[in-house]
Amino acid sequence: MILWVAFAIAAAAVIAAVARPMLATRVSSVDPQQADLAIYRDQLAEIDADLDRGLINPLEAESARVELARRLLKTTDASRQTGKASENDQDAATPSGPITPTQIAYATAAVIPLLTLAIYLNVGSPNLPGMPLSARMQTDPGKASVEQLIAKVEAQLRETPQDGRGWDAIAPVYLRIRRFKDAANAFSQAIRLEGETPKRLRGFAEATVMANNGIVAEPAKKAYARILSLQPGDSESRFWLALADEQEGKITAAGAAYRSLLAQAPDDAPWKRIVESRLKAMEGDSGDASNKVSQPQTEKQLSQPKLPGPTQQDIAAAQKLSKADQKAFINSMVDRLAGKLKDDPQDFEGWLRLVRAYTVLGRKEDASKALATARKNVDNDTTKQARLDALANELGLGT
Amino acid sequence: MITEFGHFALILAVVVALFQTVVPLWGALTNEPRLMATAKPAAIFQLVLLVVAFLALTHAYVVSDFSVKNVASNSHSTKPLIYKISGVWGNHEGSMLLWVLILATFGAAVAVFGRNLPESLRANVLSVQASIALAFGIFILATSNPFTRLAAPPMDGRGLNPILQDPALAFHPPFLYAGYVGFSIAFSFAVAALIDGRTDAAWARWVRPWTLAAWMFLTLGIAMGSWWAYYELGWGGWWFWDPVENASFMPWLAGTALLHSALVMEKRETLKVWTILLAILTFSLSLMGTFLVRSGVLTSVHAFAVDPERGVAILMIMVLFVGGALTLFAARAGELRQGGLFSPISREGALVFNNVILTTATATVLVGTLYPLLLEGLTGAKISVGPPFFNMTFIPLMIPLLIAMPFGPFLAWKRGDVAAVAQRLLAAALIGLLAMVATMALSERGPWLAPVMMAIGVYVMVGAVQELAFRAKVGKADREEVMRRLWNLPRSVYGTALAHFGIGMMVIGIVGTSAYQTERVLVMKPGDTTQIAGYSLTFKGVAPNRGPNYREQIGTIAVERNGHPLTTLQPSKRIYDSPPQPTSEAGIHASWRGDLYTVLGDAQKEDGGFAFRLYFNPLVRFIWLGALVMFIGGGISLSDRRLRVGAPRKSRGKGPSPAMAPAE
């Protein structure tokens, strides 16, 4: 309501200001000729002043006056020529033409507010209150959204970056909403300020692995090693370290680690199946170079959401199936990819994935065929050729 | 609520602009003083409303109201306050609002200060001015409304481009716009004269001060932009002949020509038609600059508005105003009275010479800027017209202009004596030659043209001082008389001398830094020492630091000269939080001799060393100091409110002495 009153006042002020001269009964106007004469008179006075100050000498002053006189004459000449017209103009100063200024004033008073309002109602948002950030931060925590709460904590942490408990509180939240880099940073701040605990180290390591697309890199490895020194025998840490070994190509070490994990595993351990499948894949064709680099499929696909691959539902479904069914399921997925590539042979990343998938499944002939087709499709692109060569070397497919 | 009131005020201002376009013009055409008189309150209220709108938007930025789309897209809650404020015009929508605000400011200034303007002239000028505001107002409301709201605001904004978060850049756009838009007044006066079919004496008096004000702001705005590019972009360069730079340089060149022709017009009431044409062209170039920068035709730091639809809209505005004004010019120019006559060798003649060269230079820059665009549009071929083109065309044009420049103020109005002036300038030329010899002695390398240009720069500076000395009769009168004369010299004479002196300084700075820059790129490990241009630099190490909205790596370099510790430089690399973008902050040690300029590069993986780029830019300060001196000169000249008449000297025989000063 106040807003509309303010609008009305603003519009009224404008109308009053512009309408006033139009409603006036008498307007003092400056005749153009008179204005010119006034200026020349001022200039003449200025010449005298300059002469007084000694800026110009009498001779110069004289020639300047002559110059002015010449201009003055020209003006009066011109006015005499247009004299007739200007006399008419004088008469016209009283109301003239079909529309009087008074009528224009009334029209203005109507058009200005209506036009403004018409435009404003189209583009404005009169019902939307202002929402300064500080006011939004003070809303009831019970009603606030997660996003709002995070923003609040973040703002606080910017003020007090040494508040370890703040970092401790926000770190798992980051992890849950998949802001892995922020999570890793928050965990490491909490560790720095509040000390190492297995829980914080685990969070940090997990966040780092997820941020690195499933690769267990050096910082994560160190963190898991620390957990093991604090909680000897922690099976989760051992699994990730084994996976790190596998990713680095230390097959024997990885195999031994998996096996000892399995030996000590309780029957209901949820990760048991994963370890078994890793081990199986490694043993299935041990000595084959292709195993060196293969990552656990689920891990890899989970962490690379950008590539068009199996959806999360696919993976969840795959995990529920029996082993034979799993294999069939994976095969069907790979065939789906192959079908897609037939339609769109320019999808280079797709070809790379297909070749890799065939190799992992042990379908070496198909892999070689896919590789050859991929080569044909990229014949001119040297960087892509080089990537294919690298892949072939890596998987031991020859050329 | 404040935001919505600002939005309403903006719309009301556009409606008032519509009123101001139509009613006063109608009044002028029907000679109805009551309608003409509405121009003044309309212009004032248009300004008041736009100030309200602008303050409302600024308020939204300051309190981080992300329910305003413009704020959410361009601000961030952690930004320092000054960049929250400068963020208002650091984006397309807000900068267009600033554009019309400045337009309205100039309009209101004419309304308030234009008391002695004839009624119809004032009405016409304000109508034309309002029509520009109307066109841009509709443009803002239709395509770039800064007050668009979001019902579901994000928790934080997307932030301002980090390289724009800089003090020089915070104030570069307002100055630049004040320059661009200031020329609109000259344009409005020109069109009003064409509508009326005549030019009053007041008309001649008004164009020069407005042009001068616009020119001052544009000079400073361009210099700020160049200074910013120098220390922020980390290349050690200060001008790149980038199309966006050219877009602001062309109105400056044309505006400088306009300033000089307006001078002739004010004092001698001649060159009126030419001045009208220049006024139209100058503002057209300003509009074209806006179009080029805003349409996305050019991509650069400035192109935060890459939107073809907006480009087309601005192009249409440009075609409407330029085309309309030139058509009017073609139809009406013949009816305008021509002023007094003058001989080719005279102050007027010198100013015409200045105009010819400056307009040619403008055309050169225009071709160099637009040709690649046209070629790409027509054939798809991408070519780049870089510094070589401009160096080969622009510099040869400037040399005769610079040589002729000191002659101008010495020449008398109407007819002058070039031989006598040359005699007087002999001393300046000799000092210039001395500077050339000194330059050649000090530098073992560099292009042959550099010492010559150095001589010209010094000659221009000395010439400017000499003019003052001559007018004060230094060496001819006793000390008291000289002091009295110096004190009594019109301020505009000081203004001219300062502006010309500033040009000389700039020439020296440009030549020094372009021809004699030293550059070194190297890797240093902490503890390493290197030499450049007589400085000894020791790299102490790199330390991390946390700013309000960025993290940075600060390198520390101890600088020694002749074995004495001089200063410590801290070049740094920053990564901003939002958006996460790296910038580099150069560490600069400035002195009259030149700038020592250090840039921290990437860390080297193998050995813990860091890449560094080191420059020594001789005399580079003079470029911006020159611009500042020009700005001050303009201000002093502007403060001279006398009504001036350029008096021709009586024929030579009758004069008491050939050394008599021309009347000012």
Side-chain angles (χ1 to χ4, degrees):
Chain A
M1 191 60 210
I2 307 172
L3 190 65
W4 294 104
V5 173
F7 288 175
I9 292 173
V14 167
I15 293 165
V18 299
R20 218 170 66 102
M22 292 191 275
L23 297 173
T25 44
R26 213 174 58 84
V27 180
S28 62
S29 73
V30 187
D31 174 40
Q33 252 73 58
Q34 290 304 316
D36 280 359
L37 291 180
I39 283 168
Y40 290 139
R41 261 198 298 277
D42 286 353
Q43 283 177 324
L44 271 177
E46 200 66 50
I47 293 172
D48 291 339
D50 280 357
L51 187 62
D52 274 355
R53 283 195 292 164
L55 279 179
I56 50 176
N57 59 33
L59 224 88
E60 287 169 325
E62 192 48 45
S63 63
R65 285 198 199 100
V66 170
E67 169 83 14
L68 264 185
R70 198 177 296 141
R71 290 184 201 171
L72 195 60
L73 274 176
K74 264 193 195 160
T75 308
T76 36
D77 272 358
S79 85
R80 214 166 290 137
Q81 277 164 21
T82 55
K84 211 177 163 194
S86 71
E87 261 165 44
N88 282 343
D89 289 348
Q90 297 294 335
D91 296 340
T94 43
S96 66
I99 309 169
T100 66
T102 318
Q103 286 166 328
I104 294 178
Y106 290 139
T108 304
V111 170
I112 286 184
L114 285 179
L115 190 56
T116 310
L117 204 62
I119 300 173
Y120 178 75
L121 289 177
N122 262 308
V123 296
S125 323
N127 298 322
L128 213 55
M131 296 186 236
L133 194 64
S134 52
R136 288 167 69 199
M137 287 297 194
Q138 281 155 14
T139 49
D140 178 12
K143 288 180 196 160
S145 65
V146 177
E147 205 195 16
Q148 220 161 343
L149 290 172
I150 293 174
K152 231 165 154 174
V153 178
E154 278 176 339
Q156 213 159 38
L157 282 173
R158 270 193 295 267
E159 296 289 315
T160 54
Q162 300 302 316
D163 173 17
R165 281 168 55 203
W167 291 114
D168 217 14
I170 201 168
V173 181
Y174 278 142
L175 195 56
R176 206 173 319 134
I177 61 169
R178 303 184 69 86
R179 281 167 66 176
F180 300 123
K181 276 187 186 147
D182 289 327
N185 177 45
F187 275 118
S188 75
Q189 295 286 2
I191 291 169
R192 183 171 65 83
L193 296 162
E194 300 279 293
E196 285 182 346
T197 64
K199 199 179 150 207
R200 291 189 191 119
L201 284 167
R202 212 186 296 285
F204 171 75
E206 192 181 341
T208 319
V209 171
M210 295 306 260
N212 273 328
N213 293 333
I215 304 291
V216 187
E218 205 52 39
K221 272 168 71 182
K222 275 190 187 141
Y224 283 123
R226 283 296 298 157
I227 297 175
L228 277 177
S229 72
L230 294 169
Q231 283 184 343
D234 176 64
S235 41
E236 192 187 328
S237 304
R238 283 165 64 199
F239 168 72
W240 286 103
L241 287 172
L243 185 61
D245 280 342
E246 189 192 338
Q247 285 170 352
E248 285 165 23
K250 299 174 192 159
I251 301 296
T252 346
Y258 283 141
R259 244 170 259 124
S260 86
L261 254 177
L262 273 184
Q264 293 161 20
D267 279 343
D268 58 345
W271 41 265
K272 205 172 158 188
R273 279 254 297 277
I274 305 175
V275 176
E276 277 169 351
S277 69
R278 296 300 321 135
L279 206 53
K280 188 138 194 153
M282 277 167 59
E283 280 167 352
D285 30 27
S286 65
D288 191 318
S290 65
N291 270 325
K292 276 189 178 172
V293 284
S294 70
Q295 288 177 14
Q297 284 296 310
T298 51
E299 193 59 58
K300 190 182 169 197
Q301 284 152 354
L302 253 179
S303 56
Q304 295 186 341
K306 272 185 191 163
L307 294 177
T311 62
Q312 299 218 9
Q313 283 92 327
D314 285 344
I315 294 154
Q319 275 165 351
K320 279 183 203 144
L321 298 168
S322 73
K323 255 169 236 157
D325 287 346
Q326 250 182 33
K327 185 146 194 187
F329 178 79
I330 293 171
N331 271 323
S332 82
M333 254 176 9
V334 172
D335 291 340
R336 213 157 68 196
L337 179 61
K340 227 189 273 174
L341 286 173
K342 214 173 247 169
D343 295 337
D344 177 19
Q346 294 309 316
D347 178 6
F348 181 67
E349 298 295 331
W351 283 110
L352 292 182
R353 259 183 313 133
L354 186 65
V355 172
R356 203 179 269 278
Y358 278 143
T359 319
V360 172
L361 290 172
R363 290 159 65 176
K364 291 200 79 170
E365 259 180 41
D366 288 334
S368 300
K369 259 189 231 159
L371 190 64
T373 323
R375 273 188 207 289
K376 249 190 280 168
N377 283 325
V378 298
D379 50 359
N380 283 327
D381 192 332
T382 47
T383 52
K384 284 183 179 172
Q385 280 291 5
R387 281 182 68 188
L388 283 174
D389 288 342
L391 183 71
N393 266 334
E394 190 183 306
L395 302 178
L397 286 174
T399 44
Chain B
M1 147 123 190
I2 293 176
T3 312
E4 288 305 313
F5 188 65
H7 196 173
F8 186 81
L10 171 64
I11 297 166
L12 193 52
V14 176
V15 173
V16 170
L18 172 65
F19 172 88
Q20 192 186 329
T21 306
V22 177
V23 175
L25 181 65
W26 190 355
L29 292 178
T30 59
N31 199 23
E32 169 54 77
R34 276 177 283 183
L35 295 185
M36 290 192 255
T38 59
K40 186 176 170 181
I44 292 169
F45 263 84
Q46 199 197 325
L47 173 65
V48 170
L49 290 167
L50 285 170
V51 167
V52 168
F54 193 78
L55 287 181
L57 186 63
T58 310
H59 172 264
Y61 267 86
V62 171
V63 302
S64 293
D65 185 344
F66 297 122
S67 69
V68 180
K69 190 176 167 207
N70 190 245
V71 181
S73 315
N74 299 295
S75 194
H76 194 275
S77 60
T78 59
K79 258 191 334 188
L81 181 64
I82 175 179
Y83 300 129
K84 278 184 185 162
I85 296 172
S86 74
V88 176
W89 55 79
N91 62 82
H92 170 73
E93 290 83 357
S95 67
M96 289 320 292
L97 186 60
L98 180 67
W99 218 96
V100 292
L101 173 65
I102 295 176
L103 199 63
T105 309
F106 278 102
V110 171
V112 172
F113 298 120
R115 280 183 305 266
N116 55 4
L117 283 178
E119 210 85 11
S120 70
L121 176 60
R122 186 168 66 181
N124 280 334
V125 168
L126 289 177
S127 269
V128 177
Q129 189 77 6
S131 68
I132 305 170
L134 176 65
F136 278 95
I138 293 172
F139 170 72
I140 289 177
L141 289 177
T143 72
S144 342
N145 194 331
F147 290 107
T148 305
R149 301 288 297 273
L150 296 169
M155 278 317 289
D156 219 325
R158 265 185 264 153
L160 174 68
N161 186 345
I163 62 170
L164 301 181
Q165 295 186 25
D166 179 275
L169 216 62
F171 299 103
H172 157 72
F175 276 102
L176 203 62
Y177 284 7
Y180 273 179
V181 179
F183 288 128
S184 70
I185 291 289
F187 175 85
S188 296
F189 268 90
V191 174
L194 292 172
I195 292 174
D196 250 3
R198 63 197 200 88
T199 53
D200 306 287
W203 191 91
R205 282 197 50 219
W206 270 69
V207 173
R208 192 193 62 99
W210 288 105
T211 309
L212 182 56
W215 176 88
M216 280 168 61
F217 288 124
L218 192 57
T219 305
L220 206 61
I222 294 175
M224 274 178 162
S226 147
W227 184 42
W228 166 81
Y230 171 71
Y231 71 70
E232 178 74 23
L233 296 184
W235 315 336
W238 52 275
W239 189 262
F240 306 101
W241 292 110
D242 173 274
V244 172
E245 290 172 328
N246 295 346
S248 67
F249 191 47
M250 287 185 279
W252 188 87
L253 285 171
T256 310
L258 173 62
L259 188 64
H260 288 89
S261 82
L263 195 72
V264 179
M265 194 185 64
E266 181 187 25
K267 292 197 178 166
R268 299 271 302 130
E269 294 211 340
T270 183
L271 290 186
K272 276 183 188 169
V273 175
W274 169 241
T275 305
I276 286 176
L277 184 61
L278 259 185
I280 293 172
L281 290 181
T282 304
F283 185 61
S284 304
L285 287 167
S286 295
L287 284 178
M288 196 188 71
T290 310
F291 163 68
L292 285 180
V293 174
R294 286 319 155 79
S295 59
V297 171
L298 305 173
T299 45
S300 77
V301 228
H302 297 74
F304 34 61
V306 184
D307 183 340
E309 203 177 302
R310 287 171 181 169
V312 171
I314 298 185
L315 188 65
M316 278 167 59
I317 294 177
M318 192 175 120
V319 168
L320 182 72
F321 281 97
V322 179
L326 288 178
T327 309
L328 201 57
F329 180 82
R332 301 299 279 273
E335 296 172 24
L336 293 172
R337 268 189 294 136
Q338 284 294 344
L341 299 171
F342 54 87
S343 83
I345 303 291
S346 63
R347 184 88 69 95
E348 295 96 319
L351 290 165
V352 168
F353 179 72
N354 148 305
N355 269 235
V356 169
I357 293 203
L358 282 174
T359 40
T360 313
T362 312
T364 309
V365 179
L366 186 69
V367 168
T369 310
L370 291 189
Y371 178 67
L373 291 177
L374 286 179
L375 196 69
E376 193 185 334
L378 292 177
T379 67
K382 275 191 192 260
I383 62 157
S384 154
V385 174
F389 168 81
F390 295 102
N391 290 345
M392 274 167 57
T393 52
F394 194 75
I395 294 177
L397 274 173
M398 285 302 113
I399 292 175
L401 181 64
L402 290 169
I403 291 176
M405 199 164 84
F407 279 80
F410 273 109
L411 283 168
W413 291 105
K414 209 162 178 185
R415 63 190 95 78
D417 182 350
V418 80
V421 176
Q423 215 174 356
R424 275 175 221 138
L425 283 170
L426 201 60
L430 284 177
I431 295 175
L433 282 176
L434 224 61
M436 179 166 91
V437 174
T439 312
M440 287 197 281
L442 282 173
S443 63
E444 57 262 41
R445 62 195 172 79
W448 62 269
L449 191 59
V452 177
M453 292 304 289
M454 211 59 134
I456 292 177
V458 170
Y459 153 81
V460 166
M461 286 164 71
V462 176
V465 177
Q466 242 191 330
E467 201 232 335
L468 290 179
F470 169 69
R471 286 184 177 238
K473 298 209 166 160
V474 174
K476 284 193 181 137
D478 57 47
R479 199 162 156 274
E480 214 171 296
E481 165 78 2
V482 168
M483 291 314 287
R484 194 186 62 78
R485 282 186 152 264
L486 271 181
W487 180 250
N488 276 333
L489 277 185
R491 271 174 282 179
S492 66
V493 171
Y494 279 108
T496 307
L498 273 176
H500 286 184
F501 190 82
I503 293 271
M505 286 172 79
M506 214 178 224
V507 170
I508 286 176
I510 291 170
V511 175
T513 193
S514 318
Y516 302 113
Q517 186 189 55
T518 326
E519 179 183 356
R520 290 198 60 192
V521 181
L522 75 170
V523 172
M524 286 204 280
K525 279 185 267 188
D528 284 0
T529 297
T530 186
Q531 310 287 331
I532 184 169
Y535 294 98
S536 163
L537 280 65
T538 309
F539 176 39
K540 296 286 189 192
V542 166
N545 181 40
R546 167 94 217 167
N549 54 346
Y550 55 84
R551 283 166 288 130
E552 64 182 341
Q553 298 278 322
I554 304 182
T556 303
I557 298 174
V559 182
E560 285 182 2
R561 189 162 151 75
N562 304 326
H564 300 292
L566 189 65
T567 181
T568 305
L569 295 181
Q570 298 202 306
S572 68
K573 279 161 70 84
R574 287 182 185 168
I575 305 259
Y576 279 78
D577 297 340
S578 175
Q581 189 178 321
T583 69
S584 88
E585 304 287 314
I588 302 176
H589 170 68
S591 71
W592 288 105
R593 207 165 71 89
D595 282 11
L596 182 61
Y597 186 107
T598 58
V599 183
L600 177 66
D602 292 322
Q604 304 297 302
K605 265 184 187 158
E606 310 85 48
D607 54 1
F610 282 82
F612 276 94
R613 269 176 301 136
L614 311 173
Y615 301 89
F616 183 73
N617 300 317
L619 303 174
V620 68
R621 286 281 120 149
F622 282 85
I623 297 174
W624 302 294
L625 282 177
L628 195 64
V629 167
M630 286 158 77
F631 177 80
I632 294 169
I636 290 176
S637 182
L638 197 59
S639 74
D640 188 347
R641 302 283 305 141
R642 293 175 315 122
L643 313 160
R644 276 164 291 185
V645 187
R649 208 176 300 161
K650 290 258 172 166
S651 63
R652 234 178 303 158
K654 287 183 190 169
S657 93
M660 186 181 73
E664 184 50 47

